[in-house]
Amino acid sequence: MPDNPIYQILTPAGDVIGDVPDLADETLVGLYRWMVMARIFSDRMVALQRQGRMGTFAPLNGQEATCVAMAAPLEEKDWLLGSYRESFPYIVKGVPLLSQMKHWGGHLPVDYPYEARCIPFQIVLATQVLHAVGIAMAIKYKKEKQVVMVGCGDGATSEGDFNEALNFAGVFKPPVIFLVQNNGWAISVPRKIQTAVEYIAQRGAGFGVPSRIVDGNDVLAVYQAVTEAADRAKAGEGATLIEAITYRLGAHTTADDPTKYQPPAELDAWRQRDPITRYRKFLMDRTLLTDAQDEQLHDDVNAEFQAALDLYEALPPPNPAHQFDYTYAELPPQLQRQREEFLELGSWR
Amino acid sequence: MPKWTMVQAINNALAIELERNPDVLVFGEDVGQNGGVFRVTDGLQERFGEARVFDTPLAESAIVGTALGMAIYGLRPVAEIQFAPFTYPCFNQIATQVTRMRYRSCGVYTAPLVIRAPCGGGVRPPEMHSDSVEALFMHVQGIKVVMPSTPYDAKGLLHAAIDDPDPVLFLEHMKLYRSFRQDVPEDRYTLPLGQAHVVKPGREVTVIAYAAMVNVALAAAQQVEQASGASVEVIDLRSIAPLDEETIATSVGKTGRAVVVHEAPRTGGVAAEIIAVINDQCLYSLLKPVERVTGPDTPFPMPKLEDTFIPTPERVARAIYRVLEP
Ligand SMILES: Cc1ncc(C[n+]2csc(CCOP(=O)(O)OP(=O)(O)O)c2C)c(N)n1
Ligand SMILES: [Mg+2]
């Protein structure tokens, strides 16, 4: 391990210390817009939950850089899988805000469009990491040029499925990128209780999967690392494990109270490393963003969220038939009977 | 028509599927060069190549989890779990992922995959190889569970399972793999999933069984018929889920008497569900309480006790006599 193994392009203060990826100005500003939307999405979803207008929600505050940059470099034909914490990357990948509101709101149907190539965000930790490897194995078998990005948390890396997935990826070399959002916590369990190794990325070596560590609050570093991993995958060189070191500034979910376990000093220290502030400074230094433009951008994003929310809140209640309709392609007779009974009476007899 | 064992019939079905559909892949532990520990996949890797028939690392959850990924992408994976009780390590992937992909994505993604596993007792393997898992998976919504009792059925049901747009757990009873041969057409044919088969029509009592217990039920029926002249109907479920309630209810509605046989332990077993179906649909035709002949509620025993655990024709015959008593 080098002295500072953590790949960085921008310092927490927003100064450039690495090679800035060669991206068009509008792409650079676009990343910022997504990060602002991520923050607004998270804050407003939490507020809506508090008002009883939304289901349980997992905020992503502090993780905006990784949440944007794990998805932004992907093409439409690529796949993205993740857990509840990757809800926002799904939006970047092409799942409509409205679909995410429906998913968090507990609405049926959860209609992610197929073209987004995102599997409904995962609840059972690390299971999706195996699905990603399977999709990537299928891509390799079909000799297609697509890549699969899969996100999970630091806690999920302790699950058997995560380790089995890395092992399969080492053996079969499919085009998959594992991105661990190490946000320091798995609900209340700190990162050091998950594994004795210093960096989760070190675990790649044991599976023959190349890995790297990035500053997860540096949107450009994550973007560049993902781009390089995707290029490797598409060149047939197999999987990459990326550990993005970031921090969960919010609660685990709206059902959690982090004051019970989170040291306030640690939280304050990470607040100073806010990914959005850092990137805003970079853009302003490059004269790609002014205060007035920033204000306008916030207004636009708020309006976009509001428009989706208006649609969400105008939805009719979900059709109880959907409870049955997606269980099998063709309902077996007993389920057909249950469906009829259920719909006729509106509830069980 | 060739006379094949169940192993040969399944091998033939897999070969036909690999031949006709490039999206079919066969994989698992030892299925490649070795052809499976029971030789069910013998010769397939040689014939279809390592990209289509391959060994995986020893990780059941990964075998099923990656199969799901492949199915999501549009392939038709046929994954092997080396022995049915080793589905315990992948229970999570099956119960929370494979079976719910269609539901969770509201039909955008589906899981047309088959998980094959040798199952059942009677071949004296070491511990933990013979547990019956079908009732567990019957209780999991969104997967079909198929358990053939003959080479002919195994082939037709496996073709149907690979065709099916939803996941199927295909349990192959080890005791039946080579215990007898049967005429099996070389061409492809399907038998419908979720449909039981009346293997022996009769009038006075219905015996319901599946997998290796079908032959036990038939032997018992023969004993009873020869000794007492009573007419016994035997139903082979073929599919545990979905359960063919109609065939069961029609038969018991006619006979008024029923015995359900399985080698799995009793409590919460498949027989319990069958009796509930009989209760719902033909209670007023019943002349006697329904009998269960099953394994006891203990772990599957060590080899020297297998024979006392697994129902025998004599035990089934005694149950038939009990329900025949006026
Ligand atoms: C298999 C499984 N075990 C436990 C849980 C309950 N649970 C939900 S989130 C969570 C913590 C996950 O931490 P991490 O993987 O670091 O992701 P983060 O929430 O920090 O993004 C736990 C224990 C679960 N959802 N799935
Ligand atoms: Mg975490």
Side-chain angles (χ1 to χ4, degrees):
Chain A
M1 284 274 159
D3 282 351
N4 181 12
I6 303 174
Y7 176 50
Q8 238 178 14
I9 293 175
L10 299 179
T11 65
D15 299 322
V16 177
I17 53 160
D19 295 337
V20 174
D22 186 19
L23 297 172
D25 289 350
E26 70 226 40
T27 310
L28 290 171
V29 177
L31 294 175
Y32 179 71
R33 188 181 195 278
W34 279 127
M35 286 166 74
V36 168
M37 189 189 283
R39 178 71 51 96
I40 287 172
F41 172 72
S42 188
D43 285 344
R44 293 208 58 188
M45 291 290 273
V46 170
L48 288 166
Q49 191 281 337
R50 297 281 183 254
Q51 296 160 10
R53 295 158 71 187
M54 185 50 65
T56 304
F57 177 74
L60 61 111
N61 300 49
Q63 300 179 224
E64 291 85 355
T66 300
C67 283
V68 169
M70 69 187 287
L74 303 177
E75 298 176 56
E76 182 183 278
K77 66 180 182 179
D78 296 332
W79 292 72
L80 172 61
L81 286 75
S83 72
Y84 50 89
R85 199 79 65 197
E86 282 80 32
S87 170
F88 195 77
Y90 278 18
I91 293 170
V92 177
K93 181 70 174 62
V95 175
L97 267 170
L98 177 61
S99 295
Q100 283 306 296
M101 288 175 182
K102 286 165 83 174
H103 199 163
W104 287 109
H107 211 85
L108 269 177
V110 177
D111 49 357
Y112 293 22
Y114 179 85
E115 303 69 47
R117 292 183 181 77
C118 292
I119 308 299
F121 64 68
Q122 188 54 248
I123 296 298
V124 188
L125 296 172
T127 51
Q128 79 276 13
V129 190
L130 282 171
H131 310 156
V133 173
I135 294 173
M137 287 169 76
I139 289 168
K140 185 172 181 180
Y141 172 69
K142 290 294 222 180
K143 301 189 166 63
E144 299 288 347
K145 286 251 173 301
Q146 289 164 286
V147 55
V148 187
M149 161 64 79
V150 57
C152 73
D154 47 300
T157 66
S158 303
E159 293 281 356
D161 279 1
F162 177 82
N163 293 276
E164 292 190 15
L166 260 79
N167 193 38
F168 265 50
V171 170
F172 294 113
K173 308 217 170 339
V176 62
I177 306 168
F178 305 103
L179 193 143
V180 177
Q181 291 206 63
N182 172 3
N183 63 3
W185 297 94
I187 310 184
S188 69
V189 181
R191 171 25 218 108
K192 67 176 188 301
I193 292 183
Q194 298 301 338
T195 167
V197 293
E198 192 179 359
Y199 293 106
I200 289 167
Q202 287 169 266
R203 306 181 75 180
F207 299 106
V209 173
S211 65
R212 69 193 296 186
I213 309 162
V214 299
D215 180 337
N217 286 10
D218 177 350
V219 69
L220 294 179
V222 179
Y223 191 99
Q224 185 57 25
V226 169
T227 304
E228 287 170 22
D231 290 346
R232 276 196 68 228
K234 286 182 185 173
E237 290 166 38
T240 307
L241 168 63
I242 299 173
E243 174 181 6
I245 299 180
T246 177
Y247 194 81
R248 200 191 77 205
L249 294 178
H252 169 67
T253 66
T254 46
D256 173 48
D257 173 14
T259 61
K260 187 123 187 339
Y261 55 81
Q262 195 174 38
E266 183 180 292
L267 182 61
D268 283 344
W270 277 94
R271 282 213 177 100
Q272 307 312 312
R273 300 168 63 97
D274 189 299
I276 300 183
T277 322
R278 181 189 308 199
Y279 192 52
R280 186 197 291 117
K281 170 158 187 310
F282 165 81
L283 290 179
M284 288 190 164
D285 287 352
R286 289 219 162 183
T287 67
L288 293 173
L289 186 73
T290 63
D291 282 331
Q293 284 167 333
D294 193 19
E295 206 170 302
Q296 181 65 46
L297 187 147
H298 275 77
D299 288 348
D300 292 350
V301 168
N302 265 310
E304 195 175 327
F305 183 92
Q306 188 59 44
L309 182 63
D310 291 345
L311 290 176
Y312 170 73
E313 296 202 314
L315 287 173
N319 181 349
H322 288 326
Q323 179 59 22
F324 296 87
D325 292 348
Y326 300 112
T327 319
Y328 296 90
E330 199 183 319
L331 285 192
Q334 48 270 70
L335 209 46
Q336 242 160 40
R337 273 202 308 278
Q338 289 175 26
R339 182 182 189 276
E340 279 156 26
E341 263 174 48
F342 186 81
L343 294 184
E344 204 171 290
L345 300 164
S347 66
W348 293 101
R349 50 188 167 147
Chain B
M1 207 179 289
K3 281 209 180 302
W4 277 339
T5 62
M6 189 183 278
V7 165
Q8 289 170 306
I10 295 171
N11 179 279
N12 169 258
L14 290 171
I16 291 174
E17 293 295 336
L18 283 159
E19 180 78 55
R20 72 195 284 267
N21 184 354
D23 289 338
V24 171
L25 302 183
V26 171
F27 52 93
E29 298 164 6
D30 300 291
V31 304
Q33 178 70 23
N34 193 40
V37 291
F38 291 96
R39 302 289 175 268
V40 173
T41 55
D42 207 20
L44 297 180
Q45 186 179 66
E46 203 181 336
R47 187 164 156 205
F48 296 100
E50 286 176 24
R52 305 203 49 208
V53 180
F54 54 92
D55 290 332
T56 66
L58 306 195
E60 287 73 18
S61 191
I63 291 170
V64 172
T66 55
L68 174 56
M70 294 177 207
I72 287 169
Y73 191 80
L75 302 186
R76 290 277 172 158
V78 181
E80 177 174 309
I81 297 297
Q82 199 159 62
F83 290 89
F86 307 144
T87 54
Y88 295 139
C90 54
F91 191 84
N92 178 37
Q93 280 289 342
I94 300 176
T96 74
Q97 304 299 316
V98 166
T99 56
R100 290 196 204 191
M101 189 43 65
R102 178 185 294 281
Y103 179 83
R104 298 191 69 238
S105 70
C106 292
V108 176
Y109 302 105
T110 58
L113 59 89
V114 176
I115 301 166
R116 293 181 36 252
C119 73
V123 301
R124 306 205 187 324
E127 259 188 294
M128 312 286 184
H129 284 68
S130 309
D131 286 24
S132 297
V133 299
E134 64 272 15
L136 298 174
F137 291 104
M138 176 190 215
H139 197 65
V140 169
Q141 314 78 35
I143 192 163
K144 298 179 181 179
V145 182
V146 177
M147 294 183 80
S149 69
T150 69
Y152 176 86
D153 286 9
K155 175 169 167 173
L157 291 166
L158 184 54
H159 284 306
I162 293 172
D163 262 357
D164 201 272
D166 287 310
V168 179
L169 178 64
F170 196 86
L171 296 171
E172 304 162 4
H173 202 290
M174 292 184 255
K175 183 97 196 213
L176 300 173
Y177 265 154
R178 294 171 196 281
S179 61
F180 65 100
R181 290 171 182 271
Q182 194 182 22
D183 286 338
V184 181
E186 279 176 280
D187 288 342
R188 187 176 185 277
Y189 58 91
T190 59
L191 295 173
L193 305 186
Q195 213 163 297
H197 176 214
V198 180
V199 273
K200 183 193 163 315
R203 294 181 310 278
E204 284 155 273
V205 54
T206 304
V207 182
I208 300 159
Y210 54 91
M213 288 302 109
V214 174
N215 282 334
V216 171
L218 284 169
Q222 201 183 2
Q223 279 181 23
V224 171
E225 290 194 343
Q226 275 168 5
S228 73
S231 167
V232 183
E233 179 148 299
V234 178
I235 294 176
D236 174 0
L237 289 178
R238 284 182 174 165
S239 293
I240 307 305
L243 193 61
D244 181 355
E245 298 184 3
E246 194 185 331
T247 298
I248 296 168
T250 304
S251 175
V252 180
K254 172 181 75 178
T255 60
R257 298 176 161 95
V259 174
V260 191
V261 190
H262 56 61
E263 67 180 65
R266 177 163 308 188
T267 301
V270 173
E273 181 60 27
I274 291 172
I275 293 169
V277 167
I278 293 171
N279 188 45
D280 281 349
Q281 301 192 24
C282 32
L283 185 68
Y284 296 113
S285 312
L286 274 187
L287 301 168
K288 293 284 283 202
V290 180
E291 285 268 347
R292 281 186 280 186
V293 183
T294 69
D297 288 339
T298 68
F300 193 88
M302 299 297 273
K304 289 204 167 148
L305 286 175
E306 276 187 17
D307 293 342
T308 55
F309 185 96
I310 299 171
T312 57
E314 291 65 37
R315 274 180 64 199
V316 177
R318 284 202 295 277
I320 296 174
Y321 285 129
R322 283 196 296 274
V323 299
L324 280 170
E325 279 167 18

